[in-house]
Coordinates of all heavy atoms in Angstrom, one line a residue:
M14 N -105.4 -84.5 33.9 CA -104.6 -85.7 33.9 C -103.7 -85.8 35.2 O -103.1 -84.9 35.6 CB -103.8 -85.8 32.7 CG -103.1 -87.2 32.5 SD -101.9 -87.0 31.1 CE -100.3 -86.7 32.0
D15 N -103.8 -86.9 35.9 CA -103.1 -87.1 37.1 C -101.6 -87.4 36.6 O -101.4 -88.3 35.9 CB -103.5 -88.2 37.9 CG -104.7 -87.8 38.7 OD1 -105.0 -86.7 38.7 OD2 -105.2 -88.7 39.4
K16 N -100.8 -86.6 37.2 CA -99.3 -87.1 36.9 C -98.9 -88.0 37.9 O -99.1 -87.7 39.1 CB -98.4 -85.9 36.6 CG -98.5 -84.8 37.7 CD -97.4 -83.7 37.5 CE -97.5 -82.8 38.7 NZ -96.4 -81.8 38.7
K17 N -98.2 -89.0 37.5 CA -97.7 -89.9 38.5 C -96.2 -89.7 38.8 O -95.5 -89.3 37.9 CB -98.0 -91.3 37.9 CG -99.1 -92.1 38.5 CD -98.9 -93.6 38.3 CE -100.0 -94.4 39.1 NZ -99.7 -95.7 39.0
V18 N -95.9 -89.9 40.0 CA -94.4 -89.9 40.3 C -93.8 -91.2 40.4 O -94.4 -92.2 41.0 CB -94.2 -89.1 41.7 CG1 -92.8 -89.0 42.0 CG2 -94.8 -87.7 41.5
N19 N -92.7 -91.4 39.8 CA -92.1 -92.7 39.7 C -90.8 -92.7 40.6 O -89.9 -91.9 40.4 CB -91.7 -92.9 38.2 CG -91.6 -94.4 38.0 OD1 -90.6 -95.0 38.3 ND2 -92.7 -94.9 37.4
V20 N -90.8 -93.5 41.5 CA -89.6 -93.7 42.4 C -88.9 -95.0 42.2 O -89.6 -96.0 42.3 CB -90.1 -93.5 43.9 CG1 -88.9 -93.6 44.8 CG2 -90.8 -92.1 44.1
K21 N -87.6 -94.9 42.0 CA -86.8 -96.2 41.9 C -85.8 -96.1 42.9 O -84.9 -95.2 42.9 CB -86.2 -96.2 40.5 CG -87.1 -96.3 39.4 CD -86.4 -96.6 38.1 CE -87.4 -97.0 37.0 NZ -88.0 -95.8 36.4
V22 N -85.8 -97.1 43.8 CA -84.9 -97.2 45.0 C -83.8 -98.2 44.4 O -84.1 -99.3 44.1 CB -85.5 -97.8 46.2 CG1 -84.5 -97.9 47.3 CG2 -86.7 -96.8 46.7
C23 N -82.6 -97.7 44.4 CA -81.5 -98.6 43.9 C -81.1 -99.6 44.9 O -80.8 -99.2 46.0 CB -80.2 -97.8 43.6 SG -79.0 -98.8 42.9
L24 N -81.1 -100.9 44.5 CA -80.8 -102.0 45.4 C -79.5 -102.6 44.9 O -79.3 -103.8 45.3 CB -82.0 -103.0 45.5 CG -83.4 -102.4 46.1 CD1 -84.4 -103.4 46.1 CD2 -83.1 -101.8 47.6
G25 N -78.9 -102.0 44.1 CA -77.6 -102.6 43.6 C -76.5 -102.8 44.8 O -76.7 -102.1 45.8
T26 N -75.5 -103.4 44.6 CA -74.6 -103.7 45.6 C -74.0 -102.5 46.3 O -74.1 -102.4 47.5 CB -73.4 -104.5 45.0 OG1 -73.9 -105.6 44.3 CG2 -72.6 -105.1 46.1
T27 N -73.6 -101.5 45.5 CA -73.0 -100.3 46.1 C -74.0 -99.6 47.0 O -73.7 -99.2 48.1 CB -72.5 -99.3 45.0 OG1 -71.6 -100.1 44.2 CG2 -71.8 -98.1 45.7
C28 N -75.1 -99.3 46.4 CA -76.2 -98.5 47.2 C -76.6 -99.4 48.4 O -76.9 -98.8 49.4 CB -77.3 -98.3 46.2 SG -76.9 -97.0 45.0
F29 N -76.7 -100.8 48.2 CA -77.2 -101.5 49.2 C -76.2 -101.4 50.4 O -76.5 -101.3 51.6 CB -77.3 -103.0 48.8 CG -78.1 -103.8 49.7 CD1 -79.5 -103.9 49.6 CD2 -77.5 -104.6 50.7 CE1 -80.3 -104.6 50.5 CE2 -78.3 -105.3 51.6 CZ -79.7 -105.3 51.5
V30 N -74.9 -101.6 50.1 CA -73.8 -101.4 51.1 C -73.9 -100.1 51.8 O -73.7 -99.9 53.0 CB -72.5 -101.8 50.5 CG1 -71.3 -101.5 51.5 CG2 -72.4 -103.2 50.1
M31 N -74.1 -99.0 51.0 CA -74.3 -97.7 51.5 C -75.5 -97.3 52.1 O -75.8 -96.2 52.5 CB -73.9 -96.7 50.4 CG -72.5 -96.9 49.9 SD -71.1 -96.5 51.0 CE -71.2 -94.8 51.0
G32 N -76.4 -98.3 52.4 CA -77.5 -98.0 53.2 C -78.9 -98.0 52.5 O -79.9 -97.7 53.1
S33 N -79.0 -98.5 51.3 CA -80.3 -98.5 50.6 C -81.2 -99.5 51.2 O -82.4 -99.4 51.1 CB -80.3 -98.7 49.1 OG -79.9 -100.0 48.7
A34 N -80.6 -100.5 52.1 CA -81.5 -101.4 52.8 C -82.5 -100.6 53.7 O -83.7 -101.0 53.7 CB -80.7 -102.3 53.7
N35 N -82.1 -99.5 54.2 CA -83.1 -98.7 55.0 C -84.1 -98.1 54.2 O -85.2 -97.7 54.7 CB -82.3 -97.6 55.7 CG -81.2 -98.0 56.6 OD1 -81.4 -99.1 57.2 ND2 -80.1 -97.2 56.8
L36 N -83.9 -97.9 52.9 CA -84.8 -97.3 52.1 C -85.9 -98.2 51.6 O -86.9 -97.8 51.1 CB -84.1 -96.7 50.8 CG -83.0 -95.7 51.1 CD1 -82.2 -95.3 49.8 CD2 -83.6 -94.4 51.8
Q37 N -85.8 -99.5 51.9 CA -86.8 -100.4 51.5 C -88.1 -100.2 52.2 O -89.1 -100.6 51.6 CB -86.3 -101.9 51.6 CG -85.3 -102.2 50.6 CD -84.9 -103.7 50.7 OE1 -85.8 -104.5 50.5 NE2 -83.6 -104.0 51.1
E38 N -87.9 -99.5 53.3 CA -89.3 -99.2 54.0 C -90.2 -98.2 53.1 O -91.4 -98.2 53.2 CB -89.1 -98.6 55.4 CG -88.5 -97.2 55.5 CD -88.5 -96.7 56.9 OE1 -89.6 -96.2 57.3 OE2 -87.6 -96.8 57.6
L39 N -89.5 -97.5 52.3 CA -90.3 -96.7 51.3 C -91.1 -97.4 50.4 O -92.3 -97.0 50.1 CB -89.3 -95.9 50.3 CG -88.4 -94.7 51.0 CD1 -87.4 -94.3 50.1 CD2 -89.4 -93.5 51.2
I40 N -90.8 -98.7 50.2 CA -91.6 -99.5 49.3 C -93.0 -99.8 50.0 O -93.9 -100.0 49.2 CB -90.8 -100.7 48.8 CG1 -89.6 -100.2 47.9 CG2 -91.6 -101.7 48.1 CD1 -88.5 -101.2 47.6
E41 N -93.0 -99.8 51.2 CA -94.2 -100.1 51.9 C -94.9 -98.7 52.3 O -96.1 -98.6 52.2 CB -94.0 -100.8 53.2 CG -93.8 -102.3 53.0 CD -94.2 -103.0 54.3 OE1 -94.6 -102.5 55.3 OE2 -93.9 -104.2 54.3
L42 N -94.1 -97.8 52.7 CA -94.6 -96.6 53.3 C -95.2 -95.7 52.2 O -96.2 -95.1 52.4 CB -93.3 -95.8 53.8 CG -93.6 -94.5 54.6 CD1 -93.7 -94.9 56.1 CD2 -92.5 -93.5 54.5
V43 N -94.5 -95.6 51.0 CA -95.0 -94.6 49.9 C -96.5 -95.0 49.5 O -97.3 -94.1 49.4 CB -93.9 -94.5 48.9 CG1 -94.5 -93.9 47.5 CG2 -92.7 -93.8 49.4
P44 N -96.7 -96.2 49.1 CA -98.0 -96.5 48.8 C -99.1 -96.2 49.8 O -100.2 -95.8 49.5 CB -98.0 -98.0 48.4 CG -96.7 -98.4 48.1 CD -95.9 -97.4 49.0
K45 N -98.8 -96.5 51.0 CA -99.7 -96.1 52.2 C -99.9 -94.7 52.2 O -101.1 -94.3 52.5 CB -99.1 -96.6 53.5 CG -99.4 -98.0 53.8 CD -99.0 -98.3 55.3 CE -98.8 -99.8 55.5 NZ -97.6 -100.1 56.3
K46 N -98.9 -93.9 52.0 CA -99.0 -92.5 52.2 C -99.7 -91.8 50.9 O -100.4 -90.8 51.0 CB -97.6 -91.9 52.4 CG -97.5 -90.6 53.1 CD -96.1 -90.4 53.5 CE -95.6 -88.9 53.6 NZ -96.1 -88.1 54.6
Y47 N -99.2 -92.3 49.7 CA -99.7 -91.6 48.5 C -100.6 -92.4 47.6 O -101.0 -91.9 46.6 CB -98.4 -91.1 47.7 CG -97.6 -90.2 48.5 CD1 -96.3 -90.7 48.9 CD2 -97.9 -88.9 48.6 CE1 -95.6 -89.8 49.7 CE2 -97.1 -88.0 49.3 CZ -95.9 -88.5 49.8 OH -95.0 -87.6 50.6
G48 N -100.9 -93.6 48.0 CA -101.8 -94.5 47.1 C -101.2 -94.6 45.8 O -99.9 -94.7 45.6
D49 N -102.0 -94.5 44.7 CA -101.4 -94.8 43.4 C -101.0 -93.6 42.7 O -100.7 -93.5 41.5 CB -102.5 -95.6 42.6 CG -103.8 -94.9 42.5 OD1 -103.9 -93.7 42.8 OD2 -104.7 -95.5 41.9
R50 N -100.8 -92.5 43.5 CA -100.2 -91.3 42.9 C -98.7 -91.5 42.6 O -98.0 -90.7 41.9 CB -100.5 -90.1 43.6 CG -101.9 -89.6 43.7 CD -102.1 -88.1 44.1 NE -101.6 -88.0 45.4 CZ -101.4 -86.9 46.0 NH1 -101.4 -85.8 45.3 NH2 -101.1 -86.8 47.3
V51 N -98.2 -92.4 43.4 CA -96.7 -92.6 43.3 C -96.5 -94.1 43.1 O -97.0 -94.9 43.8 CB -96.0 -92.2 44.6 CG1 -94.5 -92.3 44.6 CG2 -96.3 -90.7 44.8
D52 N -95.6 -94.4 42.1 CA -95.0 -95.8 42.0 C -93.7 -95.9 42.5 O -92.9 -95.1 42.3 CB -95.0 -96.0 40.4 CG -96.2 -96.6 39.8 OD1 -97.1 -97.1 40.6 OD2 -96.3 -96.5 38.6
V53 N -93.6 -96.9 43.4 CA -92.2 -97.1 43.9 C -91.8 -98.5 43.7 O -92.6 -99.5 43.8 CB -92.3 -96.7 45.4 CG1 -93.2 -97.5 46.3 CG2 -90.8 -96.7 46.0
S54 N -90.5 -98.7 43.4 CA -90.0 -100.0 43.2 C -88.5 -100.1 43.5 O -87.8 -99.0 43.4 CB -90.3 -100.5 41.7 OG -89.8 -99.6 40.9
G55 N -88.0 -101.3 43.8 CA -86.6 -101.4 43.9 C -86.0 -101.9 42.6 O -86.6 -102.7 41.9
V56 N -84.9 -101.3 42.3 CA -84.3 -101.7 40.9 C -82.8 -102.0 41.0 O -82.2 -101.6 42.1 CB -84.4 -100.4 39.9 CG1 -85.9 -100.1 39.7 CG2 -83.7 -99.2 40.6
P57 N -82.3 -102.7 40.1 CA -80.9 -103.1 40.2 C -80.2 -101.8 39.8 O -80.7 -100.7 39.5 CB -80.7 -104.0 39.0 CG -82.0 -104.1 38.3 CD -83.0 -103.4 39.0
C58 N -78.8 -101.8 40.1 CA -77.9 -100.7 39.8 C -78.4 -99.7 38.8 O -78.5 -100.1 37.6 CB -76.5 -101.2 39.5 SG -75.3 -99.9 39.3
L59 N -78.5 -98.5 39.1 CA -78.9 -97.5 38.2 C -77.8 -96.9 37.4 O -77.9 -96.1 36.4 CB -79.5 -96.3 39.0 CG -80.8 -96.5 39.7 CD1 -81.1 -95.3 40.7 CD2 -81.9 -96.6 38.7
G60 N -76.7 -97.4 37.6 CA -75.5 -97.0 36.8 C -74.8 -95.7 37.3 O -73.8 -95.3 36.8
L61 N -75.3 -95.2 38.4 CA -74.8 -93.9 38.9 C -73.6 -94.1 39.8 O -72.7 -93.3 39.8 CB -75.9 -93.2 39.7 CG -77.1 -92.9 38.9 CD1 -78.3 -92.7 39.9 CD2 -76.9 -91.7 38.1
C62 N -73.5 -95.2 40.4 CA -72.3 -95.4 41.4 C -71.1 -95.5 40.5 O -70.0 -95.2 41.1 CB -72.5 -96.6 42.2 SG -72.8 -98.2 41.3
S63 N -71.1 -96.0 39.3 CA -69.9 -96.2 38.5 C -69.4 -94.7 38.0 O -68.2 -94.6 37.7 CB -69.9 -97.1 37.5 OG -71.1 -96.8 36.7
I64 N -70.4 -93.8 37.9 CA -70.0 -92.4 37.5 C -69.3 -91.7 38.6 O -68.3 -91.1 38.5 CB -71.2 -91.7 37.0 CG1 -71.8 -92.4 35.9 CG2 -70.8 -90.3 36.5 CD1 -73.2 -91.9 35.5
D65 N -70.0 -91.7 39.7 CA -69.6 -91.0 41.0 C -68.8 -91.9 41.9 O -69.2 -92.3 43.0 CB -70.9 -90.6 41.8 CG -71.0 -89.3 42.2 OD1 -70.0 -88.6 42.0 OD2 -72.0 -88.9 42.6
W66 N -67.6 -92.4 41.4 CA -67.3 -93.7 41.8 C -66.6 -93.9 43.1 O -66.1 -94.9 43.6 CB -67.0 -94.7 40.7 CG -65.5 -94.7 40.3 CD1 -65.0 -93.9 39.2 CD2 -64.5 -95.4 40.8 NE1 -63.7 -94.3 39.0 CE2 -63.4 -95.2 40.0 CE3 -64.5 -96.3 41.8 CZ2 -62.2 -95.9 40.2 CZ3 -63.3 -97.1 42.0 CH2 -62.2 -96.7 41.2
E67 N -66.2 -92.7 43.8 CA -65.8 -92.9 45.2 C -66.9 -93.3 46.0 O -66.6 -93.7 47.2 CB -65.0 -91.7 45.7 CG -65.9 -90.6 46.1 CD -66.1 -89.5 44.9 OE1 -66.1 -89.9 43.8 OE2 -66.0 -88.4 45.3
F68 N -68.1 -93.6 45.4 CA -69.3 -94.2 46.2 C -69.8 -93.3 47.2 O -70.6 -93.7 48.0 CB -68.9 -95.5 46.8 CG -68.4 -96.6 45.9 CD1 -67.8 -97.7 46.4 CD2 -68.7 -96.6 44.6 CE1 -67.4 -98.7 45.7 CE2 -68.3 -97.6 43.7 CZ -67.6 -98.6 44.3
S69 N -69.2 -92.1 47.3 CA -69.6 -91.3 48.5 C -71.0 -90.8 48.5 O -71.5 -90.3 49.5 CB -68.6 -90.1 48.6 OG -68.6 -89.4 47.4
K70 N -71.6 -90.7 47.3 CA -73.0 -90.2 47.2 C -74.0 -91.3 47.2 O -75.2 -90.9 47.0 CB -73.0 -89.3 45.9 CG -72.0 -88.2 45.9 CD -72.4 -87.2 46.9 CE -71.4 -86.0 47.2 NZ -70.6 -85.7 46.3
A71 N -73.7 -92.6 47.3 CA -74.6 -93.6 47.4 C -75.3 -93.6 48.8 O -74.6 -93.1 49.7 CB -74.0 -94.9 47.1
P72 N -76.5 -94.0 48.9 CA -77.3 -94.7 48.0 C -78.1 -93.6 47.2 O -78.4 -92.5 47.6 CB -78.3 -95.5 48.9 CG -78.4 -94.8 50.1 CD -77.0 -94.2 50.3
Y73 N -78.4 -94.1 46.0 CA -79.2 -93.3 45.1 C -80.6 -93.7 44.9 O -80.9 -94.9 44.8 CB -78.5 -93.3 43.6 CG -77.2 -92.8 43.6 CD1 -76.1 -93.7 43.6 CD2 -76.9 -91.5 43.5 CE1 -74.7 -93.2 43.5 CE2 -75.7 -91.0 43.4 CZ -74.6 -91.9 43.4 OH -73.3 -91.3 43.4
V74 N -81.4 -92.8 44.8 CA -82.9 -93.0 44.4 C -83.3 -92.1 43.3 O -82.9 -90.9 43.2 CB -83.8 -92.8 45.7 CG1 -85.3 -92.9 45.3 CG2 -83.4 -93.8 46.8
K75 N -84.0 -92.6 42.4 CA -84.5 -91.7 41.4 C -85.9 -91.3 41.5 O -86.8 -92.2 41.8 CB -84.4 -92.4 40.0 CG -83.1 -92.0 39.2 CD -83.1 -92.5 37.8 CE -82.7 -91.4 36.9 NZ -82.7 -91.9 35.5
V76 N -86.3 -90.0 41.5 CA -87.7 -89.6 41.6 C -88.0 -88.9 40.2 O -87.4 -87.9 40.0 CB -87.9 -88.7 42.8 CG1 -89.3 -88.2 42.9 CG2 -87.5 -89.3 44.1
N77 N -88.8 -89.6 39.4 CA -88.9 -89.2 38.0 C -87.4 -89.2 37.5 O -86.8 -90.1 37.6 CB -89.7 -87.8 37.8 CG -91.1 -88.1 38.1 OD1 -91.6 -89.2 38.2 ND2 -91.9 -87.1 38.2
D78 N -87.0 -88.0 37.0 CA -85.7 -88.0 36.3 C -84.6 -87.3 37.3 O -83.5 -87.1 36.9 CB -85.7 -87.2 35.0 CG -86.4 -88.0 33.9 OD1 -86.3 -89.3 34.0 OD2 -87.0 -87.4 33.0
D79 N -85.1 -87.0 38.5 CA -84.2 -86.4 39.4 C -83.5 -87.5 40.3 O -84.1 -88.4 40.8 CB -84.9 -85.4 40.3 CG -85.4 -84.2 39.7 OD1 -84.9 -83.9 38.5 OD2 -86.2 -83.6 40.2
V80 N -82.2 -87.3 40.4 CA -81.5 -88.3 41.2 C -81.3 -87.7 42.6 O -80.9 -86.6 42.8 CB -80.0 -88.5 40.7 CG1 -79.2 -89.3 41.6 CG2 -80.2 -89.1 39.3
V81 N -81.8 -88.5 43.6 CA -81.5 -88.1 45.1 C -80.2 -88.8 45.4 O -80.2 -90.1 45.4 CB -82.7 -88.5 45.9 CG1 -82.4 -88.1 47.4 CG2 -84.0 -87.9 45.4
K82 N -79.2 -88.0 45.8 CA -78.0 -88.7 46.2 C -78.0 -88.8 47.9 O -78.7 -88.1 48.5 CB -76.8 -87.8 45.9 CG -76.6 -87.5 44.5 CD -75.6 -86.4 44.3 CE -75.3 -86.2 42.7 NZ -74.2 -85.4 42.6
E83 N -77.2 -89.8 48.3 CA -77.1 -89.9 49.7 C -78.5 -90.0 50.3 O -78.8 -89.3 51.2 CB -76.3 -88.9 50.4 CG -74.8 -88.9 49.9 CD -74.0 -87.8 50.5 OE1 -74.4 -86.6 50.5 OE2 -72.9 -88.0 51.0
A84 N -79.3 -90.8 49.6 CA -80.7 -90.8 49.9 C -81.1 -91.3 51.3 O -80.5 -92.2 51.8 CB -81.5 -91.7 48.9
T85 N -82.0 -90.7 51.9 CA -82.6 -91.1 53.1 C -84.1 -91.1 52.9 O -84.6 -90.4 52.0 CB -82.3 -90.0 54.3 OG1 -82.9 -88.8 53.9 CG2 -80.9 -90.0 54.5
V86 N -84.8 -91.7 53.8 CA -86.3 -91.7 53.7 C -86.8 -90.3 53.6 O -87.6 -90.0 52.8 CB -86.9 -92.5 54.9 CG1 -88.4 -92.4 54.9 CG2 -86.6 -94.0 54.7
E87 N -86.3 -89.4 54.5 CA -86.8 -88.0 54.6 C -86.5 -87.4 53.3 O -87.4 -86.6 52.8 CB -86.1 -87.3 55.7 CG -86.5 -87.7 57.1 CD -85.8 -89.1 57.5 OE1 -84.8 -89.5 57.0 OE2 -86.6 -89.8 58.3
K88 N -85.3 -87.5 52.7 CA -85.0 -86.7 51.4 C -85.9 -87.3 50.4 O -86.4 -86.4 49.5 CB -83.6 -87.1 51.1 CG -82.6 -86.2 51.6 CD -81.2 -86.4 50.9 CE -80.1 -85.8 51.7 NZ -78.7 -86.1 50.9
V89 N -86.1 -88.6 50.3 CA -87.0 -89.1 49.2 C -88.4 -88.6 49.3 O -89.1 -88.2 48.3 CB -86.9 -90.6 49.1 CG1 -87.9 -91.3 48.1 CG2 -85.4 -91.1 48.8
L90 N -88.9 -88.5 50.6 CA -90.3 -88.0 50.8 C -90.4 -86.6 50.3 O -91.3 -86.2 49.7 CB -90.7 -88.3 52.2 CG -91.0 -89.7 52.6 CD1 -91.3 -89.8 54.1 CD2 -92.0 -90.4 51.7
A91 N -89.3 -85.8 50.7 CA -89.3 -84.4 50.2 C -89.3 -84.3 48.8 O -90.0 -83.4 48.2 CB -88.1 -83.7 50.9
A92 N -88.5 -85.1 48.1 CA -88.5 -85.0 46.6 C -89.8 -85.4 46.0 O -90.3 -84.8 45.1 CB -87.4 -86.0 46.0
I93 N -90.4 -86.4 46.6 CA -91.8 -86.9 46.1 C -92.8 -85.7 46.3 O -93.6 -85.3 45.3 CB -92.3 -88.1 46.9 CG1 -91.5 -89.3 46.5 CG2 -93.8 -88.3 46.6 CD1 -91.8 -90.5 47.4
E94 N -92.8 -85.0 47.4 CA -93.7 -83.9 47.7 C -93.5 -82.8 46.6 O -94.5 -82.3 46.1 CB -93.4 -83.2 49.0 CG -93.7 -84.1 50.2 CD -95.3 -84.3 50.4 OE1 -96.0 -83.5 49.9 OE2 -95.5 -85.3 51.2
S95 N -92.2 -82.6 46.3 CA -92.0 -81.4 45.3 C -92.4 -81.8 44.0 O -92.9 -81.0 43.1 CB -90.5 -81.0 45.4 OG -89.7 -81.9 44.8
H96 N -92.4 -83.1 43.6 CA -92.9 -83.6 42.3 C -94.4 -83.6 42.3 O -95.0 -83.6 41.1 CB -92.3 -85.0 42.0 CG -90.9 -84.8 41.4 ND1 -90.7 -84.7 40.0 CD2 -89.8 -84.8 42.0 CE1 -89.5 -84.7 39.8 NE2 -88.7 -84.7 41.0
L97 N -95.1 -83.7 43.4 CA -96.5 -83.8 43.4 C -97.2 -82.4 43.2 O -98.3 -82.3 42.9 CB -97.1 -84.5 44.7 CG -96.9 -86.0 44.7 CD1 -97.1 -86.6 46.1 CD2 -97.7 -86.7 43.7
K98 N -96.4 -81.4 43.4 CA -96.9 -80.0 43.3 C -97.2 -79.6 41.9 O -96.5 -80.0 41.0 CB -95.9 -79.1 43.9 CG -96.2 -79.0 45.5 CD -95.2 -78.0 46.1 CE -95.0 -78.3 47.6 NZ -93.6 -78.1 47.9
Ligands
LIG16 S1 -75.6 -99.8 43.0 FE1 -76.9 -98.1 43.0 S2 -76.3 -96.9 41.3 FE2 -75.1 -98.6 41.2

């Protein structure tokens, strides 16, 4: 059975202000790189910014159940790689 990796890029206000706009390239890049092994989508606030609420760890991306804090394209790709293993 193929396991799929599920990536959710937070596009809520806090994450957006903290840079998740840059992460939107993942939404194009990931399907090109991984085809249908990885699902990627933009989602509204994941609820994480209100927990960690000095906002210092935004933007957040979820890769399966793991939270990538202060997410960058590189960090998210690394997380995807580790989930594909
Ligand atoms: S805006 Fe991203 S976790 Fe709230």
Side-chain angles (χ1 to χ4, degrees):
M14 192 186 94
D15 279 355
K16 48 175 188 168
K17 258 199 171 189
V18 178
N19 203 281
V20 180
K21 293 191 170 80
V22 178
C23 183
L24 300 176
T26 309
T27 306
C28 289
F29 198 83
V30 168
M31 297 296 285
S33 75
N35 298 329
L36 301 174
Q37 287 186 61
E38 74 171 275
L39 286 167
I40 292 170
E41 283 201 8
L42 187 93
V43 165
K45 271 190 208 142
K46 207 164 144 75
Y47 300 106
D49 56 12
R50 289 198 298 161
V51 181
D52 270 340
V53 60
S54 56
V56 297
C58 180
L59 291 165
L61 298 163
C62 58
S63 51
I64 300 167
D65 227 351
W66 87 263
E67 72 266 39
F68 300 161
S69 55
K70 301 289 170 28
Y73 295 102
V74 174
K75 265 186 127 180
V76 178
N77 288 345
D78 289 328
D79 292 345
V80 174
V81 181
K82 299 174 175 187
E83 299 176 309
T85 60
V86 170
E87 291 70 29
K88 276 193 190 176
V89 173
L90 292 178
I93 290 171
E94 295 287 343
S95 70
H96 278 269
L97 284 172
K98 274 181 207 142

